[in-house]
Amino acid sequence: MVATTLAAALAQAVGVDFEVPDGGESIPLSGFAVVTGFFSIVGIVIAVALLRWSARPTERFVWTAVALTAISLVPPLLSGADTATITALLGLHLVPAAVMIPTLTRSLRTRAD
């Protein structure tokens, strides 16, 4: 959550307005933290479920997490926002993925062995 919010703040500092045309309002920094926190918890729940019910939890988690990350990149592309906002939003989807996927993968690998 911290990494994503800091990255969003940095993007704002260099001029990204995070205004999404549907409604014309800007996404607040707190919104990035809340959404990142929620989906990080979803990732943890998926990892725990796979650990409990899968014969290969680490491999299944990586495939699932990467697929869900790829799917998460679609809404910014369809948002109708300006190029800077779309680019920043795409990057902000990858920041938590770069933190959470390796962390949960290591944790699964340790617990599955």
Side-chain angles (χ1 to χ4, degrees):
M1 289 172 38
V2 172
T4 304
T5 305
L6 286 174
L10 179 62
Q12 268 188 340
V14 297
V16 177
D17 62 12
F18 292 115
E19 186 176 307
V20 180
D22 187 22
E25 294 188 26
S26 294
I27 302 168
L29 288 178
S30 61
F32 292 105
V34 169
V35 172
T36 301
F38 174 78
F39 283 106
S40 295
I41 291 169
V42 169
I44 292 167
V45 169
I46 291 169
V48 169
L50 290 170
L51 184 61
R52 180 171 173 100
W53 291 299
S54 176
R56 298 185 325 219
T58 305
E59 181 179 317
R60 300 274 188 240
F61 175 77
V62 170
W63 279 103
T64 301
V66 169
L68 290 173
T69 300
I71 291 167
S72 82
L73 298 176
V74 174
L77 295 171
L78 301 176
S79 70
D82 63 30
T83 303
T85 297
I86 291 171
T87 303
L89 289 173
L90 291 173
L92 291 172
H93 279 92
L94 298 176
V95 168
V99 173
M100 291 301 293
I101 294 172
T103 301
L104 290 173
T105 300
R106 278 190 301 274
S107 180
L108 281 171
R109 196 170 284 132
T110 300
R111 285 172 172 74
D113 290 340

